Amino acid sequence: RKLLLDKGLLVRQLKWTSPKGRKMKLKLTRCVSMERQHIAVISCNVSELEGVESLRIVSGCNTEVISHQTDKSDPRTGAGFLHSPLECIEKKIELDRAIIIQETRNSKLKFAEVISNSHCAGLDALMPELKDDGIDFHYEGQPKVGPDCYTLEKFICFHETEELALKEINHAEQTGVNVIFREQEDNVKKFWSLADIQIRSNTLETADALSLQQGIRFNLFSIYQSAGRDGKRNIAAKGLSGEGYE
């Protein structure tokens, strides 16, 4: 698994062998767009299948919110929610899309989430599964012998209303995953051209200097992801997903 600091992408690749000897190669590329404030993209690529008679790709959307258990005696951590802070008030399926409306329990703020799956060529789309805690989309088929590749592209949008989310995700799908990845790389390159800090040392060993260099760049990238750039948002305490300070 690699975080590509120069491209703004998280890439995971693996070759997997099942207990029965079936084999496949899997590549997952994730992008939280810096150019498109409301859009994230996941590209799932399955290839080099051996001994696989049937392939099913499941693209899920989980609406359940779980708070981690925290040490109540530690003042640095949040108290932890005794209930889910979000309530799913509507979820529906439109072809290969999930549309979800959630609301905060106390302040009653609503937001919309739309997840759209590009149909995976070579596999059949089965009936989506509407569950208590989310929605699953299933794509299944019998793989051909040879170097065939199966790709599922998943577009994700969070916005204030369903209408705005649908408009944003339509535009993202029309643009395409590859263009969004290039936009991301261009955005991140511009950031590094202004913000990079380079380590040069006559006293540190080469390995130590490289480690320090990588650590500083990782921290800079983390701040870049967390910082609001619209004049309304700051840097969230403990980053984007930390539950400290609730």
Side-chain angles (χ1 to χ4, degrees):
R1 186 167 59 176
K2 295 182 180 180
L3 175 61
L4 306 180
L5 296 175
D6 58 338
K7 299 180 184 294
L9 302 175
L10 180 67
V11 179
R12 183 182 182 188
Q13 297 187 82
L14 61 93
K15 288 186 176 181
W16 182 71
T17 303
S18 77
K20 294 185 177 181
R22 300 183 179 104
K23 297 180 180 181
M24 69 169 60
K25 182 180 178 181
L26 181 67
K27 180 179 179 181
L28 288 165
T29 305
R30 299 169 184 262
C31 171
V32 179
S33 176
M34 301 289 196
E35 285 289 321
R36 299 165 186 257
Q37 183 179 3
H38 306 277
I39 293 293
V41 176
I42 301 173
S43 176
C44 174
N45 183 287
V46 183
S47 62
E48 298 183 20
L49 298 170
E50 295 182 26
V52 178
E53 298 174 357
S54 178
L55 174 67
R56 175 180 289 192
I57 297 177
V58 181
S59 173
C61 172
N62 194 328
T63 59
E64 188 178 21
V65 178
I66 299 173
S67 178
H68 294 293
Q69 296 296 319
T70 57
D71 181 358
K72 301 297 189 294
S73 66
D74 188 343
R76 296 173 301 172
T77 60
F81 295 108
L82 300 178
H83 60 272
S84 170
L86 292 175
E87 181 179 7
C88 182
I89 59 177
E90 183 182 4
K91 57 177 180 279
K92 56 187 177 181
I93 299 168
E94 293 184 1
L95 299 177
D96 284 348
R97 288 180 172 180
I99 300 172
I100 296 162
I101 310 296
Q102 302 217 71
E103 181 181 75
T104 55
R105 290 184 183 273
N106 293 331
S107 53
K108 302 301 179 184
L109 297 173
K110 294 181 182 178
F111 67 91
E113 178 184 3
V114 176
I115 297 94
S116 183
N117 303 281
S118 67
H119 184 72
C120 189
L123 301 178
D124 297 323
L126 307 183
M127 186 67 68
E129 182 182 2
L130 189 63
K131 306 187 299 182
D132 290 339
D133 61 352
I135 301 171
D136 284 347
F137 294 86
H138 299 261
Y139 302 90
E140 187 176 65
Q142 294 181 331
K144 298 176 182 178
V145 177
D148 276 17
C149 179
Y150 300 88
T151 300
L152 180 72
E153 295 171 344
K154 184 173 182 176
F155 296 82
I156 303 155
C157 180
F158 289 89
H159 220 308
E160 297 171 61
T161 66
E162 177 183 337
E163 292 74 21
L164 289 172
L166 288 170
K167 181 180 179 180
E168 193 79 25
I169 214 158
N170 286 338
H171 186 230
E173 285 191 307
Q174 290 166 7
T175 302
V177 166
N178 291 332
V179 172
I180 292 175
F181 287 170
R182 285 200 299 272
E183 288 177 350
Q184 182 82 336
E185 183 175 354
D186 290 343
N187 185 293
V188 172
K189 281 184 176 179
K190 183 179 179 181
F191 164 72
W192 287 122
S193 71
L194 299 170
D196 190 25
I197 297 174
Q198 297 184 17
I199 304 298
R200 296 185 180 90
S201 173
N202 295 324
T203 58
L204 288 175
E205 295 289 338
T206 302
D208 292 334
L210 288 174
S211 179
L212 184 60
Q213 176 75 85
Q214 186 181 51
I216 286 176
R217 284 178 172 157
F218 176 77
N219 287 329
L220 285 170
F221 186 79
S222 297
I223 293 172
Y224 181 52
Q225 285 191 115
S226 298
R229 289 180 293 279
D230 59 3
K232 300 177 182 179
R233 295 163 182 83
N234 59 359
I235 299 175
K238 291 190 179 289
L240 294 174
S241 58
E243 291 189 342
Y245 312 118
E246 302 185 347

